[in-house]
Amino acid sequence: MSGPSKEMSIVNLKKFGTADIESITSRAAGEHFGRGNRSGGWIGLKDRGYESEIGTDETQSIESTHTFRKLKNRHVQLISISGVIGTALFVAIGRALYRGGPASLLIAFAAWCVPILCITVSTAEMVCFFPVSSPFLRIAAKCVDDSTAVMASWNFWFLECVQIPFEIVSVNTIIHYWRDDYSAAIPLVVQIVLYFLISIFAVKYYGEVEFWLASFKIFLALGLFLFTFITMLGGNPRRDRFGFRYFGDEPFKQYFPNNDESAGKSAGYFQGFLACLIQASFTIAGGEYISMLAGEVKLPRKVLPVAFKQVFVRLTFLFIGSCLCVGILCSPNDPNLTAAIDNSRPGAGSSPYVIAMNNMGIRILPDIVNAALVTAAFSAGNAYTYCSSRTLYGMALDGYAPKIFTRCNRFGVPIYCVLVSLIWGLISLLQLNDNSAVVLNWLINLITASQLINFCVLCVTYLFFRRVYLAQKDNLPALPFKSWWQPYTAIFGLVSALAMTLIQGYTVFFPSLWDVQDFLFCYLMVFIDLGIYLIYKFVWSRGRDKFKDPKTVDFSQDFKEIENHELDNAYEKFIYYQSQSRSESIECT
């Protein structure tokens, strides 16, 4: 950037002192203004009591290093749900039903919601306290050590980036339900262009787009729930009042990955349940998607506590409700479901809902569901583009990625982060040479390991954060959200996620199923993350990266942007440092 823009020249500089003018000039030249403020922003002048349009108007053409707090509660609610609900809830869930049966599916998803609740409330407590960009990753840097923060940041960024091509491939697979006489590159290019256009403008516009896309997914889920209720009571062309027939036929199904039934029925039933539990660990996410919005939420310490509670309840209802519905509608032994799984039938063709519709002779509705699945997959990819770009932005602010990624456009969007994240969409071109279902399977395996590792990181980070907060409780603001039964809640979430990280690829260890490629897809991220941690701790920092002393961790500088924002919006419930400064000023006078 060559220098101050024309807009700056018309600001009345008479009310600023010489030091302030020098600050403006150095900031325009690209220097990180207010280096103590890790969220970026134009705080320096405001802290000294001055007000101007510099850096506060989101239409400024000045390139900066801060984002804008424009997301409202309704945006947070729907975007958080959107990041979790993709095609897996409507399509991939059929594979788990086929392997484990309806009862195993329902129990497994309900069981996995317990550790997810533990992880979510632990995350909520520290993120609501410290709502900045990439909060739990930056709390790791403050409260644990830099090695953990570096490893966690790159793992989460990879997790979000890989899901972009996953959803792009999903959209192409869904479209194949209707036709496949086109190049797979067409939907790839169209989606990447649309993601880019949605992402480069002000975050409030992204919030509006994602709000409506997420609404469609919720309407789809609720519509399918209603469809299940009506048809099970006889409201279908066949007048078949089937009720819970398929639950009674074979509630628990045996599954033998290596087709060796000599292990016995108990092993078969257990592995059927385990297949459903692994599917749940991939499908159900925690509060990390709400967390990534923290740096751009209006009044975060007011909005986020409510969002964490409501989103968990709504997601649990949708996940468990979907498991119940597919178990009611479709038998795990349905020949159409078996054929869909074995032949990797595209799009809605492998969805238990669509299979049930076809079995009942219902027309048109399967096409409507397939069309809705296109928007569901597109919306999820859009959410992952947002989360991955903000993760990279937070990493750059903390020095774990090149500083160029802190640059934001005039709308407060980290534009270079968006571009790099979208480059990952090119991975979806692999489907040009392989069956798209094979590519999806590769990506699912990579994603599952990264997601479970991230759950472990969240719990470990919370335990260190809790140690810091208890050590400095009298000198820190109150907790906007307080979880219960800690630290045991976080420990339970950590043990559960760690166990699933090791279990999720267990089938590769059967002698008849051993394959180096499959092993790497299941466990590669474990070795990569471990390598990043050890290399940073003992090679890059030469063993000088020690665990943080809980008594010396300082949050004060980071809260300046948060408290200034809340004061500007007449919200003073959790104001601490500003009130402390006022008290000191009064005492001095």
Side-chain angles (χ1 to χ4, degrees):
M1 199 168 69
S2 60
S5 67
K6 184 176 180 180
E7 287 85 349
M8 285 188 64
S9 65
I10 63 172
V11 177
N12 183 9
L13 294 177
K14 292 182 179 179
K15 59 182 176 181
F16 300 118
T18 304
D20 295 319
I21 297 174
E22 291 174 353
S23 295
I24 296 172
T25 306
S26 63
R27 183 67 178 88
E31 182 179 330
H32 193 141
F33 190 98
R35 195 170 299 277
N37 173 27
R38 307 290 269 172
S39 296
W42 302 89
I43 292 175
L45 299 180
K46 194 169 185 179
D47 287 344
R48 288 176 242 176
Y50 304 118
E51 291 288 347
S52 81
E53 60 268 31
I54 298 178
T56 59
D57 184 353
E58 68 178 271
T59 61
Q60 281 285 345
S61 61
I62 304 170
E63 193 177 53
S64 67
T65 59
H66 77 150
T67 53
F68 297 123
R69 292 190 177 275
K70 295 292 183 181
L71 293 177
K72 299 178 181 178
N73 182 43
R74 63 186 182 90
H75 296 139
V76 175
Q77 295 279 342
L78 273 296
I79 294 173
S80 303
I81 292 175
S82 179
V84 178
I85 298 178
T87 55
L89 185 63
F90 308 108
V91 179
I93 197 172
R95 185 179 296 274
L97 174 66
Y98 168 70
R99 290 176 173 174
S104 288
L105 178 67
L106 183 61
I107 294 172
F109 270 68
W112 187 246
C113 283
V114 177
I116 288 297
L117 173 62
C118 296
I119 295 167
T120 299
V121 296
S122 300
T123 304
E125 183 172 308
M126 59 183 177
V127 170
C128 293
F129 172 80
F130 193 65
V132 297
S133 296
S134 305
F136 66 88
L137 300 174
R138 299 174 70 190
I139 290 173
K142 277 190 167 292
C143 301
V144 189
D145 62 2
D146 290 335
S147 302
T148 300
V150 171
M151 181 273 290
S153 297
W154 285 107
N155 176 77
F156 188 72
W157 183 69
F158 175 80
L159 167 63
E160 297 305 300
C161 287
V162 168
Q163 292 187 88
I164 298 172
F166 174 81
E167 296 300 341
I168 290 175
V169 174
S170 295
V171 168
N172 185 48
T173 304
I174 293 167
I175 295 174
H176 281 179
Y177 177 78
W178 293 305
R179 58 189 300 172
D180 58 4
D181 56 341
Y182 62 88
S183 171
I186 296 175
L188 160 67
V189 173
V190 171
Q191 286 177 87
I192 289 181
V193 170
L194 289 176
Y195 290 156
F196 176 74
L197 292 176
I198 293 171
S199 300
I200 62 173
F201 296 108
V203 70
K204 65 180 180 181
Y205 299 123
Y206 163 82
E208 286 299 325
V209 171
E210 199 56 40
F211 174 83
W212 291 108
L213 287 174
S215 299
F216 292 150
K217 285 195 275 192
I218 295 176
F219 291 146
L220 172 61
L222 296 179
L224 292 173
F225 290 177
L226 182 61
F227 166 80
T228 302
F229 180 73
I230 293 173
T231 55
M232 71 183 292
L233 297 179
N236 58 76
R238 301 184 185 279
R239 300 292 189 270
D240 182 11
R241 195 180 179 92
F242 54 86
F244 289 89
R245 178 189 302 161
Y246 300 126
F247 264 90
D249 286 349
E250 192 173 8
F252 300 96
K253 189 177 178 182
Q254 298 180 60
Y255 171 57
F256 298 95
N258 59 347
N259 296 320
D260 182 10
E261 300 183 13
S262 61
K265 291 184 177 180
S266 297
Y269 287 127
F270 176 72
Q271 290 185 95
F273 171 78
L274 203 55
C276 296
L277 193 61
I278 293 171
Q279 178 66 47
S281 69
F282 159 68
T283 307
I284 307 176
E288 62 270 29
Y289 292 100
I290 306 176
S291 304
M292 298 313 296
L293 303 172
E296 295 174 81
V297 175
K298 188 174 182 178
L299 298 178
R301 291 192 284 185
K302 177 182 180 181
V303 170
L304 291 177
V306 178
F308 271 103
K309 295 174 186 176
Q310 294 181 350
V311 169
F312 175 80
V313 172
R314 292 171 183 176
L315 286 175
T316 301
F317 170 74
L318 292 175
F319 284 123
I320 296 180
S322 293
C323 293
L324 179 63
C325 287
V326 297
I328 291 172
L329 290 171
C330 188
S331 168
N333 298 317
D334 189 297
N336 291 318
L337 178 63
T338 302
I341 301 300
D342 294 341
N343 301 328
S344 300
R345 191 175 294 170
S350 57
S351 169
Y353 293 107
V354 172
I355 290 172
M357 292 172 188
N358 290 329
N359 288 342
M360 288 182 275
I362 299 175
R363 298 181 179 180
I364 300 178
L365 200 54
D367 293 294
I368 295 175
V369 171
N370 200 64
L373 289 178
V374 172
T375 64
F378 178 84
S379 172
N382 192 38
Y384 299 140
T385 301
Y386 173 89
C387 288
S388 60
S389 63
R390 272 36 176 202
T391 302
L392 184 57
Y393 171 71
M395 291 161 60
L397 286 178
D398 279 342
Y400 303 141
K403 193 172 182 179
I404 190 174
F405 293 118
T406 63
R407 299 291 180 86
C408 299
N409 65 11
R410 65 195 182 98
F411 301 113
V413 175
I415 187 65
Y416 299 122
C417 297
V418 172
L419 291 173
V420 170
S421 295
L422 285 176
I423 289 175
W424 280 78
L426 299 177
I427 292 177
S428 58
L429 286 173
L430 289 171
Q431 65 183 312
L432 295 177
N433 295 322
D434 291 278
N435 185 302
S436 59
V438 175
V439 177
L440 282 173
N441 190 50
W442 291 348
L443 296 176
I444 286 173
N445 288 334
L446 288 171
I447 290 167
T448 302
S450 289
Q451 180 161 291
L452 291 168
I453 292 170
N454 188 61
F455 289 161
C456 295
V457 168
L458 287 169
C459 294
V460 170
T461 301
Y462 171 77
L463 293 172
F464 277 84
F465 164 78
R466 184 173 185 273
R467 185 181 70 150
V468 171
Y469 190 83
L470 291 177
Q472 303 186 38
K473 188 175 181 179
D474 295 336
N475 299 312
L476 291 173
L479 293 171
F481 180 99
K482 191 170 183 179
S483 55
W484 54 89
W485 303 326
Q486 295 290 6
Y488 307 107
T489 303
I491 292 172
F492 178 77
L494 173 61
V495 172
S496 300
L498 185 60
M500 284 304 300
T501 303
L502 301 175
I503 291 171
Q504 50 95 17
Y506 82 97
T507 57
V508 76
F509 295 107
F510 286 108
S512 60
L513 298 178
W514 171 257
D515 183 80
V516 175
Q517 179 178 276
D518 291 340
F519 172 78
L520 290 176
F521 276 121
C522 291
Y523 295 102
L524 180 62
M525 288 309 302
V526 176
F527 297 108
I528 289 177
D529 288 340
L530 185 61
I532 291 173
Y533 181 85
L534 294 176
I535 290 172
Y536 190 92
K537 195 169 188 70
F538 298 108
V539 179
W540 185 268
S541 62
R542 299 179 182 180
R544 292 192 294 267
D545 181 29
K546 307 297 183 182
F547 288 114
K548 306 296 184 183
D549 182 349
K551 295 181 180 179
T552 61
V553 174
D554 182 19
F555 289 101
S556 60
Q557 291 299 320
D558 302 88
F559 272 104
K560 282 188 175 182
E561 182 267 340
I562 299 169
E563 293 196 352
N564 281 334
H565 165 75
E566 290 178 343
L567 288 172
D568 287 345
N569 288 275
Y571 184 72
E572 301 186 14
K573 183 175 181 180
F574 297 104
I575 298 299
Y576 178 79
Y577 293 104
Q578 297 282 11
S579 59
Q580 201 173 48
S581 299
R582 292 172 188 168
S583 300
E584 292 174 357
S585 299
I586 294 172
E587 289 177 3
C588 291
T589 55

